[in-house]
Structures are given as structure tokens and as C-alpha cells.
Amino acid sequence: MNFRLQQECDILSKERKNVQEVIRQEFADRLVATEEENRRLKNEMSEMRARHKLEIERIEKSKEEELEEVHKRVKQAIVKKEDTVNQLRQQYDAATKRADHLESLLEQQRKQLLSLSKKK
């Protein structure tokens, strides 16, 4: 019986070693799979960061271009306003000179009429 117990014990011991080996192998496989998944996720994260950075740069460039366009239009509007103001000033000056000239003509005519009426 002792021999049989020894055999049973050896069989159980072998099975235990086999189970330990299977568990170790499964653990190692899972560890490798986890490391591969970790590497894959790190690569994805790196790619996402790069895409995000490019998108931010694209948006910033677009905003800068838009601001430059607005600045250009504002400058054009200011130049146009200044031209209009200058034209209005010139028209005002011309109208003032004409009014002064017409007033002096009226004054001359008034004096001539007065002098003619005094002569009569």
C-alpha cells in the first residue's frame, strides 16, 4: 500500500506541477498581451497627441489669417473714411469761398444800387 500511496502522491505532485506550469504560462501570456496592449495604447496616444497638435496649429493659423483679413479691411475702411473726410473738407472750403464771393458780389450790387438811387 505504501507503494500505491507513493504513486498517488507522485501523480498528484506531477499534476500540481503541471497546473502550476499552466498557470505560470497563462500568466506569462496575459502579461505579454497586456504589455502589447500597453504599447499599442501608447502608440495610439502618441498619434492622437500629434494629430491634436496639428489641429491646434491649423486652427491657430486659420485664426491668424482671419485676423489679418479683418485688420486689412479695417485699414481699408479707415483710408476710405479719411478720403471721404478730405473730400468733404474740400467741398466745404469751396462752398465757403463761393459763399464769400457771392456775399461780396451782393455787397457790391447793393452799393451800386444805393449809389444809383442817391443819384436820382
Side-chain angles (χ1 to χ4, degrees):
M1 270 244 189
N2 207 5
F3 180 71
R4 202 168 176 194
L5 268 168
Q6 186 61 39
Q7 281 181 330
E8 290 272 335
C9 208
D10 287 344
I11 290 172
L12 288 174
S13 185
K14 284 179 185 178
E15 284 180 8
R16 189 168 132 212
K17 285 181 184 179
N18 284 342
V19 169
Q20 284 177 345
E21 191 57 38
V22 167
I23 290 173
R24 280 191 186 115
Q25 189 58 47
E26 283 181 11
F27 184 76
D29 291 346
R30 285 186 186 172
L31 186 60
V32 167
T34 302
E35 287 173 350
E36 287 174 2
E37 178 72 8
N38 191 21
R39 239 180 273 117
R40 185 184 64 77
L41 289 173
K42 282 182 180 179
N43 286 338
E44 282 182 23
M45 183 66 92
S46 178
E47 289 173 6
M48 289 174 112
R49 281 187 180 131
R51 273 187 257 141
H52 182 69
K53 183 178 179 183
L54 288 174
E55 184 66 16
I56 287 174
E57 289 172 357
R58 185 189 65 78
I59 290 171
E60 286 175 349
K61 183 179 178 185
S62 173
K63 293 281 184 193
E64 287 175 13
E65 289 171 354
E66 193 175 321
L67 279 174
E68 286 176 17
E69 182 63 31
V70 168
H71 182 69
K72 181 179 163 184
R73 284 185 284 171
V74 167
K75 284 173 78 174
Q76 288 173 345
I78 290 171
V79 166
K80 186 175 178 181
K81 180 201 73 117
E82 288 174 352
D83 287 345
T84 303
V85 167
N86 286 335
Q87 288 175 355
L88 289 172
R89 277 195 186 125
Q90 289 173 354
Q91 290 174 3
Y92 172 78
D93 289 344
T96 303
K97 285 179 184 177
R98 188 159 190 251
D100 289 345
H101 177 67
L102 290 173
E103 283 179 7
S104 70
L105 284 177
L106 276 173
E107 185 62 28
Q108 278 179 351
Q109 285 179 350
R110 188 182 68 77
K111 285 180 183 177
Q112 284 176 355
L113 283 173
L114 282 176
S115 69
L116 283 177
S117 62
K118 283 185 185 178
K119 287 183 182 179
K120 286 186 180 183

